[in-house]
Amino acid sequence: MAPPCGSGRRWSRVVKMTFYCLFFLIPMSSAGNRNTNTIFGKKQKLEVQQQLKRLNKPALKSIESPDGDIIDCVDINKQPAFDHPLLKNHTIQMRPSSYPKGFSFDQINDVSSNSEPEFTQPWHLNGRCPEGTIPIRRTKEEDLLRAGSVANFGRKKYHTIPHAQSNDDPTKFHEHATYGEAGDTYYGMTADINLWNPHTQEENDISVSQFWLVNGEYGQDFDSIEAGAVDDAYQSTGCFNLLCPGFVQVENQIALGATVTPYSKYDGNQYALKFYVSKDVNGKGDWWMNINNRVFGYWPKSIFSILSNSASRVRWGGEVTNQNSGGQHTTTQMGSGHFAEEGPGKASFFKNLNVIDGLQIERAPRDPTIFMKKPNCYNIKDYGGFFYFGGPGRNPNCP
């Protein structure tokens, strides 16, 4: 990936694609409405326009969403992935050539590109993208303004993984509650991720429910595939989705970065997204992702270094930004905003957790490790094959 997306050591070191599910849109602050001439000089304003031209590909059709987004239907062969220097001559793949042992092709054979997805987005009310295109949420000038500068846009400020905590690295601004396994060779994973609309305190705070497939060590040679659901009030501080070239999308009905509905209600109906990521070991070696049994897209093998063959760690769980504003812990919620012990209908969950091991067999994690940076703020409880997690952030036991 491009340097703004991760460690900056090489284009291929960090790959981040978060299924960026905004469950609600916070009204735009005055920062988002300021005249660009009062913020940027002529040079900076030119940089903004150049960045927007680079990010927003020519559309064959554009759809206005009721929530304010504009969805551009872009030729699948002209999507941002192919801006990556290692993908200049890439031939797009529409399906993987193989799946792990025991995978039922019926899970995807009955799901055509024209069938209705099991979840919706507001822009669907006003149209759909035609065949041969993919939907991309348009980046607007105000998105760049919220980032504070063109250089900051598309940058995840404190890239982190759960095991790489120290007192002197930027991961101190992030807190985790995760469940995972390490020490084997992994070729994929599965998870059903519960969907909520957690509160975030600061403009650029995030609250993430996701998985990690990792190889290497943070600050050294390091590759990471990450996806899930994230609430980010201002949408502009993370290098997610298609903002950095690398992930090739083939699904033409779901736009990364746009709101997904429905989401779960406390003591009410619960909703989840089903993720399946596997390496096409008998094909080109790309990492493919299915969401709710739909073939969504892939990370090409060529953009990786040490993750080109396999992962060495798998994690599932939550991550929040904690900037300790005013010397207090953030009130940004993780998951539902309720602790794991509250259980069904109240705490957020992950279920159907499996890894794909070196024998190409899908199995449950063995002797998983639970990591909680601040259990009085956010916690996890393992129930054998699934777990509840989350928390409110600042509370009497988490000042």
Side-chain angles (χ1 to χ4, degrees):
M1 289 303 298
C5 306
S7 68
R9 291 173 58 85
R10 279 180 51 190
W11 277 72
S12 62
R13 285 294 184 247
V14 177
V15 177
K16 170 82 173 180
M17 196 292 293
T18 299
F19 191 65
Y20 199 165
C21 303
L22 294 177
F23 304 111
F24 61 96
L25 296 179
I26 292 181
M28 194 178 301
S29 71
S30 59
N33 292 317
R34 288 178 286 186
N35 189 313
T36 57
N37 290 320
T38 66
I39 301 298
F40 298 112
K42 291 183 179 180
K43 179 180 178 181
Q44 288 76 19
K45 186 171 178 61
L46 179 60
E47 290 176 352
V48 168
Q49 296 306 315
Q50 290 174 337
Q51 179 81 321
L52 290 175
K53 184 177 180 180
R54 182 186 69 81
L55 290 170
N56 296 318
K57 304 301 181 183
L60 299 180
K61 177 182 178 181
S62 295
I63 302 169
E64 293 190 14
S65 176
D67 59 12
D69 281 346
I70 297 177
I71 304 300
D72 290 325
C73 302
V74 175
D75 185 326
I76 192 171
N77 293 299
K78 297 180 180 178
Q79 61 181 290
F82 304 121
D83 289 341
H84 196 295
L86 298 177
L87 299 180
K88 291 299 184 182
N89 299 312
H90 183 79
T91 300
I92 194 168
Q93 311 296 309
M94 296 305 295
R95 292 289 187 275
S97 62
S98 64
Y99 279 100
K101 297 175 183 177
F103 183 89
S104 172
F105 280 89
D106 292 338
Q107 291 177 277
I108 61 169
N109 285 345
D110 293 333
V111 182
S112 71
S113 60
N114 295 320
S115 65
E116 290 294 318
E118 297 177 14
F119 52 93
T120 61
Q121 296 183 301
W123 65 274
H124 291 163
L125 296 173
N126 294 331
R128 298 295 177 102
C129 284
E131 187 176 351
T133 68
I134 63 167
I136 301 179
R137 179 187 175 274
R138 184 182 298 178
T139 300
K140 301 177 182 179
E141 194 171 80
E142 53 261 34
D143 295 326
L144 295 179
L145 284 174
R146 292 183 200 122
S149 72
V150 173
N152 284 339
F153 184 75
R155 182 186 298 273
K156 187 182 181 192
K157 293 183 178 179
Y158 312 118
H159 187 86
T160 178
I161 54 174
H163 77 290
Q165 302 294 333
S166 69
N167 293 326
D168 59 354
D169 73 25
T171 62
K172 64 185 178 181
F173 292 99
H174 276 197
E175 294 185 9
H176 300 82
T178 63
Y179 175 100
E181 179 181 327
D184 202 345
T185 300
Y186 304 102
Y187 291 91
M189 51 68 60
T190 69
D192 291 4
I193 302 179
N194 196 199
L195 300 178
W196 290 84
N197 63 335
H199 158 78
T200 54
Q201 177 179 305
E202 304 290 338
E203 288 185 356
N204 292 325
D205 282 354
I206 62 170
S207 179
V208 178
S209 299
Q210 67 168 62
F211 67 82
W212 293 258
L213 276 163
V214 176
N215 206 341
E217 298 295 335
Y218 182 79
Q220 303 174 29
D221 283 349
F222 175 76
D223 281 347
S224 173
I225 286 176
E226 308 172 22
V230 54
D231 180 90
D232 179 347
Y234 279 87
Q235 308 178 40
S236 63
T237 59
C239 192
F240 304 135
N241 309 322
L242 305 181
L243 292 178
C244 288
F247 181 78
V248 179
Q249 183 170 332
V250 298
E251 159 65 38
N252 85 327
Q253 293 197 40
I254 300 299
L256 295 170
T259 308
V260 168
T261 58
Y263 55 83
S264 303
K265 298 291 187 182
Y266 184 82
D267 223 6
N269 292 335
Q270 301 297 299
Y271 300 95
L273 290 177
K274 181 187 296 292
F275 287 85
Y276 190 104
V277 175
S278 64
K279 187 173 177 62
D280 186 5
V281 295
N282 295 326
K284 294 183 178 295
D286 303 326
W287 293 88
W288 283 84
M289 179 168 68
N290 293 358
I291 301 177
N292 281 28
N293 297 331
R294 300 175 71 86
V295 178
F296 202 90
Y298 62 95
W299 293 269
K301 175 182 177 179
S302 61
I303 65 175
F304 295 104
S305 54
I306 55 176
L307 197 57
S308 61
N309 294 319
S310 63
S312 60
R313 294 187 299 281
V314 177
R315 295 284 188 273
W316 302 266
E319 175 184 353
V320 299
T321 307
N322 177 28
Q323 301 185 50
N324 288 301
S325 299
Q328 293 183 302
H329 193 283
T330 183
T331 58
T332 293
Q333 298 173 334
M334 180 185 291
S336 68
H338 293 262
F339 286 113
E341 51 267 28
E342 293 195 38
K346 299 174 181 178
S348 189
F349 66 79
F350 275 67
K351 66 178 183 179
N352 294 327
L353 305 178
N354 290 290
V355 299
I356 300 166
D357 65 18
L359 298 176
Q360 282 293 292
I361 295 174
E362 186 178 323
R363 62 167 176 80
R366 297 170 182 156
D367 300 320
T369 300
I370 290 176
F371 175 91
M372 294 178 284
K373 188 175 180 183
K374 292 186 178 179
N376 290 333
C377 309
Y378 314 103
N379 69 351
I380 273 186
K381 286 197 175 295
D382 179 17
Y383 289 89
F386 70 95
F387 63 84
Y388 291 103
F389 77 107
R394 186 165 73 237
N395 67 77
N397 296 319
C398 174

